[in-house]
Amino acid sequence: MKPLPNASDFLPGPVLMLGAPGVGKGTQAQLLMAEFNIPQISTGDLLREHRKNHTKLGMLADELMSKGQLVPDDLVNDMVAERFKQPDTEHGYILDGYPRTINQAEWLDTQLVAYLLPVVAVHIVVPQRVLLERITGRRISPAGRIYNIYTNPPKVEGICDIDGSKLEQRKDDTEEVFHERMKAFDAKTAAVIDYYRTHGGRFAEVNGDQPVEDVTKAIRAALLKLRHHPESDKDSEQ
Ligand code: ADP
Ligand code: AMP
Protein backbone atom coordinates (compact mmCIF):
# COMPACT_ATOMS: atom_id res chain seq x y z
CA MET A 1 0.00 0.00 0.00
CA LYS A 2 1.30 3.46 -0.87
CA PRO A 3 1.96 5.60 2.22
CA LEU A 4 -0.03 8.78 2.71
CA PRO A 5 1.64 12.02 1.72
CA ASN A 6 2.93 14.17 4.59
CA ALA A 7 0.21 15.80 6.63
CA SER A 8 1.43 19.16 5.35
CA ASP A 9 0.71 18.05 1.75
CA PHE A 10 -2.59 16.43 2.57
CA LEU A 11 -5.12 18.32 4.61
CA PRO A 12 -8.51 16.66 4.63
CA GLY A 13 -10.14 19.73 6.27
CA PRO A 14 -13.71 19.23 7.49
CA VAL A 15 -14.87 15.65 6.86
CA LEU A 16 -18.43 14.38 7.34
CA MET A 17 -19.17 10.71 8.05
CA LEU A 18 -22.67 10.02 6.80
CA GLY A 19 -24.79 6.87 6.88
CA ALA A 20 -27.52 4.95 8.70
CA PRO A 21 -27.20 3.94 12.38
CA GLY A 22 -24.54 1.23 12.74
CA VAL A 23 -22.76 1.60 9.37
CA GLY A 24 -19.45 2.30 11.18
CA LYS A 25 -19.21 6.11 11.26
CA GLY A 26 -17.78 6.25 14.80
CA THR A 27 -15.42 3.32 14.25
CA GLN A 28 -13.97 4.92 11.13
CA ALA A 29 -13.88 8.45 12.57
CA GLN A 30 -11.84 7.19 15.55
CA LEU A 31 -9.32 5.47 13.29
CA LEU A 32 -8.96 8.39 10.89
CA MET A 33 -8.67 11.15 13.49
CA ALA A 34 -5.41 9.70 14.75
CA GLU A 35 -4.09 9.44 11.21
CA PHE A 36 -4.97 12.99 10.19
CA ASN A 37 -4.47 14.61 13.57
CA ILE A 38 -7.89 16.25 13.59
CA PRO A 39 -10.61 15.61 16.20
CA GLN A 40 -13.67 13.40 15.87
CA ILE A 41 -16.82 15.27 16.82
CA SER A 42 -19.70 12.87 17.46
CA THR A 43 -22.96 14.64 18.32
CA GLY A 44 -24.22 11.36 19.83
CA ASP A 45 -21.18 11.27 22.17
CA LEU A 46 -21.61 14.96 23.05
CA LEU A 47 -25.29 14.37 23.89
CA ARG A 48 -24.43 11.29 25.98
CA GLU A 49 -21.88 13.45 27.85
CA HIS A 50 -24.61 16.02 28.57
CA ARG A 51 -26.83 13.18 29.77
CA LYS A 52 -24.11 11.89 32.08
CA ASN A 53 -23.64 15.40 33.51
CA HIS A 54 -27.41 15.87 33.98
CA THR A 55 -27.48 19.15 32.09
CA LYS A 56 -30.80 20.57 30.87
CA LEU A 57 -29.91 19.52 27.31
CA GLY A 58 -28.88 16.09 28.57
CA MET A 59 -32.23 15.53 30.29
CA LEU A 60 -34.21 16.53 27.22
CA ALA A 61 -31.96 14.54 24.90
CA ASP A 62 -32.26 11.44 27.07
CA GLU A 63 -35.98 11.21 26.48
CA LEU A 64 -35.68 11.64 22.70
CA MET A 65 -32.62 9.41 22.33
CA SER A 66 -34.24 6.55 24.23
CA LYS A 67 -37.16 6.70 21.75
CA GLY A 68 -34.86 6.86 18.73
CA GLN A 69 -35.99 10.37 17.86
CA LEU A 70 -33.82 13.29 16.83
CA VAL A 71 -32.93 16.10 19.23
CA PRO A 72 -34.20 19.52 17.95
CA ASP A 73 -31.93 21.20 15.41
CA ASP A 74 -31.37 24.45 17.34
CA LEU A 75 -30.13 22.59 20.41
CA VAL A 76 -27.80 20.37 18.41
CA ASN A 77 -26.48 23.29 16.32
CA ASP A 78 -25.76 25.32 19.48
CA MET A 79 -23.95 22.34 20.98
CA VAL A 80 -21.82 21.96 17.83
CA ALA A 81 -21.13 25.74 17.79
CA GLU A 82 -19.73 25.42 21.32
CA ARG A 83 -17.51 22.51 20.24
CA PHE A 84 -16.22 24.44 17.20
CA LYS A 85 -14.89 27.13 19.56
CA GLN A 86 -12.21 24.73 20.81
CA PRO A 87 -8.81 25.29 19.19
CA ASP A 88 -8.33 21.67 18.10
CA THR A 89 -10.86 22.25 15.29
CA GLU A 90 -8.65 24.88 13.66
CA HIS A 91 -7.43 22.63 10.82
CA GLY A 92 -10.58 20.56 10.42
CA TYR A 93 -12.47 17.75 12.12
CA ILE A 94 -14.36 14.57 11.41
CA LEU A 95 -18.04 15.05 12.12
CA ASP A 96 -19.85 11.85 12.96
CA GLY A 97 -23.63 11.71 13.24
CA TYR A 98 -24.01 15.33 12.17
CA PRO A 99 -25.66 16.85 10.14
CA ARG A 100 -28.77 14.68 10.35
CA THR A 101 -31.33 17.13 8.91
CA ILE A 102 -31.30 19.64 6.04
CA ASN A 103 -31.60 22.45 8.58
CA GLN A 104 -28.42 21.22 10.31
CA ALA A 105 -26.63 20.93 6.94
CA GLU A 106 -27.60 24.50 6.01
CA TRP A 107 -26.43 25.80 9.38
CA LEU A 108 -23.15 23.90 8.96
CA ASP A 109 -22.64 25.61 5.58
CA THR A 110 -22.61 28.95 7.39
CA GLN A 111 -19.85 27.68 9.71
CA LEU A 112 -17.70 26.17 6.99
CA VAL A 113 -16.82 29.57 5.54
CA ALA A 114 -14.30 29.79 8.40
CA TYR A 115 -12.31 27.01 6.69
CA LEU A 116 -10.18 27.47 3.62
CA LEU A 117 -10.67 23.81 2.77
CA PRO A 118 -13.92 22.54 1.26
CA VAL A 119 -15.92 19.96 3.13
CA VAL A 120 -15.67 16.29 2.11
CA ALA A 121 -18.74 14.09 2.73
CA VAL A 122 -18.26 10.32 2.96
CA HIS A 123 -21.38 8.16 2.81
CA ILE A 124 -20.80 4.68 4.30
CA VAL A 125 -23.25 2.18 2.84
CA VAL A 126 -24.25 -1.12 4.52
CA PRO A 127 -27.30 -3.28 3.66
CA GLN A 128 -30.05 -2.82 6.25
CA ARG A 129 -30.16 -6.57 7.11
CA VAL A 130 -26.57 -6.29 8.46
CA LEU A 131 -27.28 -3.25 10.62
CA LEU A 132 -29.45 -4.87 13.28
CA GLU A 133 -26.62 -7.20 14.38
CA ARG A 134 -24.21 -4.29 14.35
CA ILE A 135 -26.51 -2.28 16.63
CA THR A 136 -27.57 -4.99 19.09
CA GLY A 137 -24.02 -6.35 19.30
CA ARG A 138 -22.41 -2.95 19.92
CA ARG A 139 -20.70 -2.35 23.25
CA ILE A 140 -18.91 0.86 24.22
CA SER A 141 -16.38 1.81 26.88
CA PRO A 142 -17.03 4.85 29.11
CA ALA A 143 -14.39 6.67 27.01
CA GLY A 144 -16.39 5.91 23.84
CA ARG A 145 -14.32 3.08 22.33
CA ILE A 146 -16.46 0.89 20.12
CA TYR A 147 -16.67 -2.93 20.12
CA ASN A 148 -19.08 -5.54 18.82
CA ILE A 149 -19.69 -8.88 20.52
CA TYR A 150 -20.09 -10.54 17.08
CA THR A 151 -17.77 -8.69 14.72
CA ASN A 152 -15.19 -6.90 16.88
CA PRO A 153 -15.12 -8.45 20.37
CA PRO A 154 -12.71 -7.27 23.08
CA LYS A 155 -9.92 -9.67 24.09
CA VAL A 156 -11.60 -10.22 27.47
CA GLU A 157 -15.38 -10.34 27.43
CA GLY A 158 -16.97 -7.14 28.68
CA ILE A 159 -13.64 -5.33 29.22
CA CYS A 160 -12.08 -2.55 27.13
CA ASP A 161 -8.75 -3.65 25.60
CA ILE A 162 -7.24 -0.21 25.99
CA ASP A 163 -8.08 0.99 29.49
CA GLY A 164 -9.60 -2.09 31.21
CA SER A 165 -12.91 -0.32 31.84
CA LYS A 166 -16.24 -2.15 31.83
CA LEU A 167 -18.07 -2.16 28.49
CA GLU A 168 -21.68 -1.07 28.35
CA GLN A 169 -24.58 -1.49 25.98
CA ARG A 170 -26.23 1.76 24.90
CA LYS A 171 -29.85 1.79 25.99
CA ASP A 172 -30.99 2.82 22.49
CA ASP A 173 -29.20 -0.20 20.95
CA THR A 174 -32.28 -2.44 21.14
CA GLU A 175 -34.12 -3.88 18.14
CA GLU A 176 -37.20 -1.76 18.89
CA VAL A 177 -35.35 1.56 19.12
CA PHE A 178 -33.20 0.64 16.11
CA HIS A 179 -36.37 0.53 13.97
CA GLU A 180 -37.36 3.99 15.23
CA ARG A 181 -33.87 5.31 14.47
CA MET A 182 -34.10 3.89 10.95
CA LYS A 183 -37.42 5.69 10.52
CA ALA A 184 -35.81 8.97 11.58
CA PHE A 185 -32.93 8.26 9.17
CA ASP A 186 -35.28 7.63 6.23
CA ALA A 187 -37.48 10.63 7.06
CA LYS A 188 -34.76 13.22 7.77
CA THR A 189 -31.18 12.09 7.15
CA ALA A 190 -31.46 10.40 3.74
CA ALA A 191 -32.17 13.87 2.30
CA VAL A 192 -28.93 15.17 3.84
CA ILE A 193 -26.95 12.55 1.92
CA ASP A 194 -28.62 13.70 -1.32
CA TYR A 195 -27.83 17.29 -0.33
CA TYR A 196 -24.09 16.56 -0.34
CA ARG A 197 -24.30 14.25 -3.35
CA THR A 198 -25.92 16.94 -5.49
CA HIS A 199 -24.51 20.21 -4.14
CA GLY A 200 -21.35 20.10 -6.22
CA GLY A 201 -19.15 19.49 -3.20
CA ARG A 202 -16.75 16.65 -2.56
CA PHE A 203 -18.76 13.48 -2.02
CA ALA A 204 -17.78 9.81 -1.89
CA GLU A 205 -19.74 6.61 -1.34
CA VAL A 206 -17.91 3.76 0.38
CA ASN A 207 -18.89 0.11 0.92
CA GLY A 208 -19.11 -0.38 4.70
CA ASP A 209 -19.98 -4.07 4.45
CA GLN A 210 -16.40 -5.31 4.58
CA PRO A 211 -13.77 -5.65 7.31
CA VAL A 212 -13.07 -2.48 9.31
CA GLU A 213 -9.54 -2.09 7.84
CA ASP A 214 -10.88 -2.35 4.29
CA VAL A 215 -13.48 0.33 4.97
CA THR A 216 -10.71 2.55 6.36
CA LYS A 217 -8.62 1.94 3.22
CA ALA A 218 -11.58 2.80 1.00
CA ILE A 219 -12.25 6.05 2.93
CA ARG A 220 -8.57 6.97 2.87
CA ALA A 221 -8.50 6.39 -0.89
CA ALA A 222 -11.63 8.52 -1.32
CA LEU A 223 -10.16 11.35 0.75
CA LEU A 224 -6.96 11.19 -1.28
CA LYS A 225 -8.90 11.28 -4.54
CA LEU A 226 -10.84 14.32 -3.36
CA ARG A 227 -7.73 15.73 -1.74
CA HIS A 228 -6.79 19.28 -1.41
CA HIS A 229 -3.18 20.15 -2.18
CA PRO A 230 -2.57 23.73 -1.06
CA GLU A 231 0.45 24.14 -3.36
CA SER A 232 -1.05 22.67 -6.55
CA ASP A 233 -4.32 24.56 -5.97
CA LYS A 234 -2.33 27.77 -5.69
CA ASP A 235 -0.67 26.91 -9.01
CA SER A 236 -3.96 26.24 -10.73
CA GLU A 237 -5.33 29.59 -9.54
CA GLN A 238 -2.47 31.47 -11.22
P1 ADP B 1 -22.23 4.23 13.75
O1 ADP B 1 -21.30 5.24 14.40
O2 ADP B 1 -22.38 4.45 12.30
O3 ADP B 1 -23.55 4.09 14.47
P2 ADP B 1 -20.32 2.28 14.85
O4 ADP B 1 -19.01 2.74 14.36
O5 ADP B 1 -20.65 2.53 16.28
O6 ADP B 1 -21.51 2.82 13.88
O7 ADP B 1 -20.43 0.72 14.52
C1 ADP B 1 -21.61 -0.02 14.85
C2 ADP B 1 -21.22 -1.42 15.32
O8 ADP B 1 -20.72 -2.15 14.20
C3 ADP B 1 -20.13 -1.44 16.38
O9 ADP B 1 -20.42 -2.48 17.28
C4 ADP B 1 -18.84 -1.71 15.58
O10 ADP B 1 -17.88 -2.43 16.36
C5 ADP B 1 -19.36 -2.55 14.43
N1 ADP B 1 -18.66 -2.33 13.16
C6 ADP B 1 -18.24 -1.14 12.66
N2 ADP B 1 -17.67 -1.29 11.45
C7 ADP B 1 -17.75 -2.62 11.17
C8 ADP B 1 -17.34 -3.42 10.05
N3 ADP B 1 -16.75 -2.91 8.97
N4 ADP B 1 -17.59 -4.76 10.10
C9 ADP B 1 -18.20 -5.32 11.19
N5 ADP B 1 -18.59 -4.62 12.27
C10 ADP B 1 -18.38 -3.29 12.26
P1 AMP C 1 -25.59 8.30 17.52
O1 AMP C 1 -24.63 8.22 18.66
O2 AMP C 1 -25.06 9.08 16.36
O3 AMP C 1 -26.14 6.95 17.13
O4 AMP C 1 -26.84 9.15 18.05
C1 AMP C 1 -27.63 8.68 19.13
C2 AMP C 1 -28.86 9.56 19.27
O5 AMP C 1 -28.49 10.91 19.60
C3 AMP C 1 -29.74 9.70 18.01
O6 AMP C 1 -30.64 8.62 17.86
C4 AMP C 1 -30.45 11.03 18.31
O7 AMP C 1 -31.48 10.85 19.27
C5 AMP C 1 -29.35 11.85 18.97
N1 AMP C 1 -28.55 12.61 17.97
C6 AMP C 1 -27.23 12.41 17.68
N2 AMP C 1 -26.83 13.27 16.74
C7 AMP C 1 -27.91 14.02 16.42
C8 AMP C 1 -28.14 15.07 15.48
N3 AMP C 1 -27.15 15.51 14.67
N4 AMP C 1 -29.38 15.61 15.42
C9 AMP C 1 -30.36 15.19 16.22
N5 AMP C 1 -30.23 14.20 17.11
C10 AMP C 1 -29.01 13.61 17.22
Side-chain angles (χ1 to χ4, degrees):
M1 194 179 60
K2 260 172 62 181
L4 273 174
N6 292 329
S8 56
D9 301 334
F10 178 54
L11 304 168
V15 177
L16 313 182
M17 289 287 160
L18 305 174
V23 295
K25 301 180 294 291
T27 300
Q28 296 301 328
Q30 289 182 5
L31 291 167
L32 291 164
M33 72 168 182
E35 185 165 327
F36 293 124
N37 203 18
I38 50 176
Q40 169 205 22
I41 301 178
S42 154
T43 45
D45 283 352
L46 290 175
L47 289 167
R48 280 184 285 278
E49 197 59 35
H50 273 275
R51 190 170 64 186
K52 210 190 279 176
N53 295 333
H54 304 285
T55 67
K56 209 168 135 200
L57 171 60
M59 294 300 97
L60 173 79
D62 180 36
E63 209 181 314
L64 296 165
M65 289 164 89
S66 55
K67 290 193 260 187
Q69 294 172 5
L70 297 185
V71 175
D73 290 333
D74 289 355
L75 300 180
V76 178
N77 291 346
D78 287 351
M79 180 180 76
V80 171
E82 272 308 304
R83 181 65 184 84
F84 281 170
K85 285 183 192 160
Q86 294 184 26
D88 62 344
T89 60
E90 197 186 356
H91 300 296
Y93 42 74
I94 304 178
L95 271 175
D96 147 22
Y98 182 91
R100 262 175 155 101
T101 66
I102 292 291
N103 178 301
Q104 292 178 13
E106 287 175 348
W107 178 83
L108 181 63
D109 282 344
T110 67
Q111 304 301 302
L112 290 169
V113 291
Y115 287 88
L116 296 173
L117 302 174
V119 68
V120 177
V122 179
H123 178 206
I124 306 178
V125 186
V126 172
Q128 199 171 325
R129 64 183 155 71
V130 177
L131 293 179
L132 182 60
E133 185 183 270
R134 294 248 189 127
I135 290 288
T136 55
R138 174 163 53 193
R139 299 292 182 272
I140 54 169
S141 76
R145 292 191 188 90
I146 305 167
Y147 296 87
N148 190 288
I149 56 169
Y150 308 114
T151 64
N152 176 29
K155 292 189 183 100
V156 179
E157 194 184 322
I159 302 292
C160 175
D161 294 347
I162 308 295
D163 62 16
S165 57
K166 211 166 152 243
L167 300 183
E168 295 159 5
Q169 182 165 24
R170 276 169 49 175
K171 61 179 178 177
D172 58 345
D173 274 350
T174 62
E175 180 164 357
E176 196 191 349
V177 182
F178 167 69
H179 291 303
E180 292 308 311
R181 287 157 71 192
M182 278 308 301
K183 277 189 209 160
F185 175 80
D186 290 339
K188 304 272 174 69
T189 312
V192 172
I193 292 165
D194 285 338
Y195 180 87
Y196 289 104
R197 196 197 310 272
T198 56
H199 273 63
R202 299 171 185 220
F203 178 84
E205 207 138 70
V206 163
N207 174 16
D209 189 17
Q210 51 181 337
V212 169
E213 319 71 73
D214 293 343
V215 182
T216 311
K217 271 186 213 160
I219 295 175
R220 194 188 288 124
L223 292 178
L224 273 170
K225 197 167 155 214
L226 301 169
R227 73 189 178 279
H228 177 87
H229 281 299
E231 288 313 314
S232 59
D233 279 20
K234 227 185 278 161
D235 293 346
S236 64
E237 279 162 18
Q238 286 166 359

